[in-house]
Amino acid sequence: MIDNQALEKAMRRALALAATPGVPLGPNPRVGCVLLAPDGSEIAEGFHRGAGTPHAEAAALAEAGDAAQGATAVVTLEPCNHTGRTGPCAQALIEAGVERVVFAQPDPNPLAAGGAQTLKAAGVQVEMGLLEREARALNRTWTFAMEHGRPFVTWKFATTLDGRSAAADGTSRWVSSVAARRDTHRLRGECDVMLVGTNTVAVDDPQLTVRDELDVPLQHQPLRAVMGLRDLDPAKRVFDAAAETVQLRTQDPVAALDDLHRRGRQHVFLEGGPTLAAAFLEAGLVDEIVTYVAPMLLGAGKNAVGDLGITTIADALHLQITDVATVGTGPDANVRITLRRA
Ligand code: AOF
Ligand code: ZN
């Protein structure tokens, strides 16, 4: 019998495998799998390399061959029960003769769930919940999208110390520092949609791509999405060939997220202006806020966020700080605050 310490060690290894740098983000989760012999020694390991490639369990089983007979499979996600782009892993584990399956996170994907039941019905010993918190964190936006039926939304904005995003004459370059802008590109690279309103495209003409050098090379540029009814000049930079772009012909945040969800997108990076941000905040559709505060005062100018219909302090929208960091040094320093809804 394999003791709990050996199982936890194997699960940590499976989590590390799942997080292998360079695996493309979305639409599939990051998954890792370790196969242990009855004496607790490792037989094989595998991880998922992106949609259309073998699941983690299948990769580990292929490496193990006949040695999988009688093995314990340690997986970061409940083995799938469906035939999607590849076959059902629960069935593959049963056929390989695996006797015990220990997984961290139950599968929140309604299409794929039910693997634990299938395994149990075939006489496989099944345990779940080992390092579940870590596994959920690894796929936090995928998990969120599966559980809520819409993408997770991160609203990013840059502001002065007095909450201004542009000066009175409309000039906004450069509120945030070079270091903060580089940090923003890193965060953009973790999302699969960059969302702005038609007004931002018409006025600022941003390219909305991930550019600055990243620690890990980017696999795919995020989808560029522009929401709003107004027709846009096709010569705008957002329509260049650097990445895919869609216009969502709606002003309703719910409809926009629904459309993006149907396209298999799981993490929206909202970089629009104050009006778009206010619409998402009022609809309760901002899940995370990342703001870069520049050590700079304007005293007048455009607010970072538009009217939220709040007139009295008791109705203020409360947030909870999850992280505070200084980005850049000396005159280039900005404070990055990450928050979520309270
Ligand atoms: C993965 N990799 O290692 C595991 C997954 O349509 P498919 O075949 O790509 O299946 C995707 C679903 O399969 C995914 O949403 C998740 O619920 C389940 N398990 N998926 O991409 C894996 N084990
Ligand atoms: Zn699978």
Side-chain angles (χ1 to χ4, degrees), residues 54-58 78-82 86-90 112:
H55 287 186
E57 304 91 317
E78 178 181 359
C80 71
N81 201 35
H82 76 308
T86 63
C89 292

Side-chain angles (χ1 to χ4, degrees), residues 140-141 151-152 154 190-193 265-269 288:
R140 69 172 186 139
T141 55
F152 183 89
T154 297
E190 290 174 4
C191 299
D192 56 14
V193 181
R265 302 288 162 161
Q266 294 154 358
H267 190 178
V268 170
F269 204 64
E288 177 181 69

Side-chain angles (χ1 to χ4, degrees), residues 15 18 36 48 102 161 250 282 310:
L15 286 163
L36 299 177
H48 184 60
V102 179
L161 192 58
T250 177
E282 277 200 280
I310 298 168

Side-chain angles (χ1 to χ4, degrees), residues 101-159:
V101 172
V102 179
F103 66 84
Q105 181 188 3
D107 194 332
N109 179 359
L111 290 176
Q117 263 324 106
T118 300
L119 289 162
K120 280 185 203 160
V124 177
Q125 189 187 332
V126 178
E127 290 134 80
M128 60 177 235
L130 177 63
L131 302 185
E132 180 175 348
R133 200 160 36 89
E134 287 82 348
R136 289 177 67 92
L138 178 70
N139 290 305
R140 69 172 186 139
T141 55
W142 176 80
T143 300
F144 181 95
M146 288 296 157
E147 290 179 349
H148 294 79
R150 67 161 174 88
F152 183 89
V153 177
T154 297
W155 169 41
K156 174 256 149 181
F157 68 99
T159 173

Side-chain angles (χ1 to χ4, degrees), residues 200-285:
T200 291
V201 170
V203 176
D204 297 339
D205 193 17
Q207 192 186 16
L208 295 181
T209 51
V210 182
R211 288 182 304 273
D212 282 320
E213 32 348 319
L214 306 171
D215 295 344
V216 177
L218 192 69
Q219 302 289 324
H220 299 295
Q221 283 286 344
L223 174 71
R224 299 177 289 190
V226 185
M227 69 179 275
L229 304 174
R230 128 147 73 140
D231 286 325
L232 291 166
D233 174 359
K236 290 294 185 189
R237 298 205 301 156
V238 78
F239 296 113
D240 71 14
E244 204 187 325
T245 302
V246 288
Q247 183 169 356
L248 309 172
R249 297 218 175 239
T250 177
Q251 288 171 322
D252 174 12
V254 174
L257 292 184
D258 190 48
D259 185 323
L260 293 168
H261 181 65
R262 276 186 277 106
R263 294 172 193 267
R265 302 288 162 161
Q266 294 154 358
H267 190 178
V268 170
F269 204 64
L270 189 65
E271 281 205 75
T275 311
L276 190 65
F280 274 76
L281 286 163
E282 277 200 280
L285 292 172

